Amino acid sequence: RDESSAELKDYFDNTTLGLHRVGPDGKILQANRAVLEILGYPENEYVGQAIVKFHEDRSVIDDILAKLISGQSVINCEARLRCKDGSIKHVEIRSNGVWREGKFLFSRWFTRDITDRKLVEEQLRRSESRLRAIFDGLREYVGLLSPDGKLLEANRASLAFSGSKREEVIGLPFWETVWFQFTPGAPEAIQNG
């Protein structure tokens, strides 16, 4: 029994996933090394504190705690945590409550740092926005077709020319669009595959 408890403690302390337990009063009861490293706090400045102290968005943590107290689990909830140095980490939280004889004892929190993923997503959004501005800024009529001939994209000039709305034409086979009749050689190219 002591050996299995020691082994479980070793797993808890040394897993790369941030783990902590929070009491019914919202205070942190236990935290592993990974969650302390994510936030940059020593154990004595984290354990015993209210979990809300470390959350950047009060409404998110309030919603998580309300779900746990009502017996619901939290799955892949994105949150922003405030680190000791003042920086913000984006995390994904999974959590569930532990109950005994109808009494809420504590909640288990599994916290994964997704800061790098969020930065990459933001860079992709910016890049996509720049490409969209260039694409829509072209005065020529430009469209992108899938290998099977469906319209994937049309720029602003081509939509204005046809009097179409984007949502009306995206996904249509090219030969069902107004542009088809104005594209020299299109019928023959499609027929000859």
Side-chain angles (χ1 to χ4, degrees):
R1 179 103 173 127
D2 288 338
E3 188 178 313
S4 64
S5 293
E7 188 173 345
L8 281 174
K9 182 173 177 1
D10 183 58
Y11 280 124
F12 181 88
D13 288 340
N14 294 302
T15 184
T16 58
L17 183 65
L19 303 173
H20 51 278
R21 293 168 47 173
V22 177
D25 60 356
K27 290 198 175 164
I28 300 163
L29 303 172
Q30 185 180 16
N32 75 346
R33 197 171 297 142
V35 80
L36 296 172
E37 288 173 1
I38 290 170
L39 298 174
Y41 282 95
E43 186 175 10
N44 66 336
E45 291 180 25
Y46 188 72
V47 173
Q49 299 295 316
I51 191 80
V52 297
K53 174 181 175 181
F54 303 97
H55 279 259
E56 187 66 13
D57 305 303
R58 183 64 190 245
S59 62
V60 173
I61 185 62
D62 286 347
D63 184 56
I64 291 171
L65 292 171
K67 285 180 179 175
L68 294 172
I69 292 293
S70 71
Q72 298 176 57
S73 292
V74 174
I75 299 173
N76 299 334
C77 176
E78 289 189 13
R80 297 182 312 145
L81 301 181
R82 194 175 316 111
C83 300
K84 182 172 176 140
D85 66 6
S87 64
I88 301 295
K89 294 279 185 170
H90 293 268
V91 296
E92 194 170 71
I93 296 170
R94 292 180 74 104
S95 186
N96 67 304
V98 175
W99 298 74
R100 187 171 296 132
E101 297 173 8
K103 183 179 178 187
F104 181 77
L105 300 178
F106 61 88
S107 53
R108 294 181 278 224
W109 297 60
F110 305 87
T111 306
R112 188 164 50 102
D113 185 353
I114 59 168
T115 304
D116 289 341
R117 184 184 91 194
K118 296 300 274 185
L119 290 172
V120 167
E121 287 172 357
E122 180 56 32
Q123 289 170 344
L124 284 172
R125 267 193 295 279
R126 281 194 217 126
S127 177
E128 187 176 295
S129 179
R130 285 192 297 268
L131 288 174
R132 166 62 61 193
I134 292 167
F135 185 70
D136 276 340
L138 295 172
R139 294 176 195 252
E140 293 81 18
Y141 308 141
V142 180
L144 301 174
L145 299 177
S146 67
D148 63 352
K150 290 187 180 164
L151 188 65
L152 299 173
E153 199 56 72
N155 73 345
R156 198 176 292 142
S158 61
L159 292 169
F161 164 77
S162 69
S164 303
K165 291 182 180 169
R166 187 177 183 281
E167 58 273 7
E168 295 172 343
V169 294
I170 300 303
L172 287 178
F174 183 64
W175 52 90
E176 292 179 17
T177 69
V178 69
W179 301 292
F180 183 71
Q181 62 185 320
F182 296 107
T183 306
E188 297 80 21
I190 289 173
Q191 286 175 348
N192 296 330

